[in-house]
Amino acid sequence: MADPRFDPQDTDFANRVRASFERQDAMKTIGATLTKVEPGVVHIELRWAQALTQQHGFLHAGMLATALDSACGYCAFTLMPVEAAVLTIEYKINLLAPAKGERFRMEGVVIKPGRTVTVAEGRAYAIDAGKQKLIATMGCTLMAVVGRDGIKH
Amino acid sequence: MADPRFDPQDTDFANRVRASFERQDAMKTIGATLTKVEPGVVHIELRWAQALTQQHGFLHAGMLATALDSACGYCAFTLMPVEAAVLTIEYKINLLAPAKGERFRMEGVVIKPGRTVTVAEGRAYAIDAGKQKLIATMGCTLMAVVGRDGIKH
Amino acid sequence: MADPRFDPQDTDFANRVRASFERQDAMKTIGATLTKVEPGVVHIELRWAQALTQQHGFLHAGMLATALDSACGYCAFTLMPVEAAVLTIEYKINLLAPAKGERFRMEGVVIKPGRTVTVAEGRAYAIDAGKQKLIATMGCTLMAVVGRDGIKH
Amino acid sequence: MADPRFDPQDTDFANRVRASFERQDAMKTIGATLTKVEPGVVHIELRWAQALTQQHGFLHAGMLATALDSACGYCAFTLMPVEAAVLTIEYKINLLAPAKGERFRMEGVVIKPGRTVTVAEGRAYAIDAGKQKLIATMGCTLMAVVGRDGIKH
């Protein structure tokens, strides 16, 4: 997917994304790192680890989905106003091939930003011996939440 | 959901499910346990843990989805023949409320079994101070795979 | 599914649903009729017609989805305030069996109502010689819209 | 989306698609036409018509989804062997904007072809006064069926 062009409402969006990402202990647990934060685009990478595997020794689809959902959520978040938090309403993931590889790149891209509801798409790639393969696609609906108790970005 | 009535093709289905579950290191990493294995029905439970949280201190939706996807996959697996492995083709999850609670019960139920393709539904409940709340629903499509290299149950 | 119990915000909800349904020419084109309108629950029926078929002579999945999406949208609408219109954000449909039958009943039920976002589920049944069969399931996310130009209920 | 490059198994794929499309009375009812048939890519167009509208006078989302699902199904069908029929297992549609326009172009593209299961993506565009706007995205899972009674392409 070619990256879209969006104007962020808050020029400090990348710092907001990084600060929120740091507060997610689940991201530390799975070893995810933020590798790209641009307006409407976020990439997250994951390394293969035994602790994240399913019964065939591949990366568990849920771990992949966790990182891909985060990429979608944060790409939506880059375009939200400074006071908003982002919640995932729903997502759908198609698993195209086993998550077999040394590392994995999750790409989230905004398809349609909105005041309340944003739609994003995700792509997950497995990278093995320098070659990459599309292994999952995601469609994701996110919501900007302002002033809801206990929900901050 | 009332539990459906299905006749398993392999009477040893529960042992197959438990053995496969044991081989998933990702399930150990998130602390998931199998709490119900019946024909067409599997429940998985998860306890809240700091290592599984998102930025608001609730359980990360991805961790919830990981366990719910496994419940859906294994409920389909209970009805498959002894030589089959199960793969998730796709799932969709609606997140209804923050995953706030002491523990979480994921229920997977087969809606339509099939020789190749099985459709299952999932429900996730948060349990807090003895009360339970529906926090997520899933629609999931699974595939029975026989004789594919590197894929065993 | 057992019908949920919800308190409508507007006691005249059934008339609002019926009036909106009447304004949908697409519902006339496919011959859909409203057969149940209760708080959080709407049923729509469709008769088999040659004009609605796919290449095997069964009802086209899209026609089924059209009626099922409407059942989901209107069940959400029953619980919305009088000034709101309802928009479908997204839906996912699993087609379980060919839509073979004399008539079809689409059931929409609210799973989680919300001020802005409502989640509903749909079930489609084929009815043939007095027997009914589940042929499709839907998960659907709806949005209440107030004061948006050109959007009325 | 840039069009993918796929080698069809049957060089007569375009005639198979057109013949199957002609047998769908639902496509005639909604006035859909096939405008592109290439390996892994199918476009379908629809003109606005009063008979296809929802309560705001826009094209009913279900009619859009019907044509978009067909575009996804037929793009998968272009890559299937000559004896196969195509069935939709499931699809998910995100509605990004009201279907307001003179005509609508639905694009289906194969993301991952498979012997049994194919994953496709759809995009719907509204065209008004020469300008086009993305109004819906679809993720769709299709199945190749061979030798099943009553199911032909």
Side-chain angles (χ1 to χ4, degrees), chain A residues 20 23-27 29-30 50-56 58 60-63 65-66 69-70 74 88-95 150-153, chain B residues 20 23-27 29-30 50-56 58 60-63 65-66 69-70 74 88-95 150-153:
Chain A
S20 173
R23 284 197 299 274
Q24 296 208 23
D25 283 350
M27 291 296 113
T29 300
I30 67 175
Q50 184 66 41
L52 307 178
T53 56
Q54 33 83 293
Q55 68 273 36
H56 310 121
F58 304 141
H60 196 287
M63 298 304 171
T66 298
D69 170 26
S70 288
Y74 283 122
T88 300
I89 294 176
E90 61 82 35
Y91 65 81
K92 187 226 190 191
I93 185 165
N94 264 278
L95 302 162
I151 307 290
K152 59 177 186 224
H153 43 78
Chain B
S20 174
R23 283 198 299 274
Q24 295 210 23
D25 283 349
M27 291 296 112
T29 301
I30 67 173
Q50 184 66 41
L52 307 178
T53 57
Q54 33 82 294
Q55 68 274 35
H56 311 121
F58 305 140
H60 196 287
M63 298 302 172
T66 297
D69 171 27
S70 288
Y74 283 123
T88 300
I89 295 175
E90 60 83 33
Y91 66 80
K92 187 226 188 190
I93 186 167
N94 263 279
L95 302 163
I151 306 289
K152 58 177 187 225
H153 44 76

Side-chain angles (χ1 to χ4, degrees), chain A residues 31-53:
Chain A
T33 53
L34 270 173
T35 55
K36 190 178 201 176
V37 183
E38 293 182 0
V41 182
V42 164
H43 292 189
I44 289 177
E45 289 200 11
L46 214 52
R47 299 196 72 79
W48 182 91
Q50 184 66 41
L52 307 178
T53 56

Side-chain angles (χ1 to χ4, degrees), chain D residues 86-124:
Chain D
V86 58
L87 288 181
T88 300
I89 295 175
E90 61 82 34
Y91 67 79
K92 187 224 188 192
I93 186 167
N94 263 280
L95 303 162
L96 308 178
K100 195 178 173 180
E102 297 154 9
R103 58 193 182 88
F104 304 90
R105 189 177 70 251
M106 266 54 81
E107 302 184 359
V109 178
V110 170
I111 295 295
K112 169 75 168 50
R115 203 167 48 93
T116 307
V117 170
T118 292
V119 176
E121 280 190 354
R123 292 275 193 271

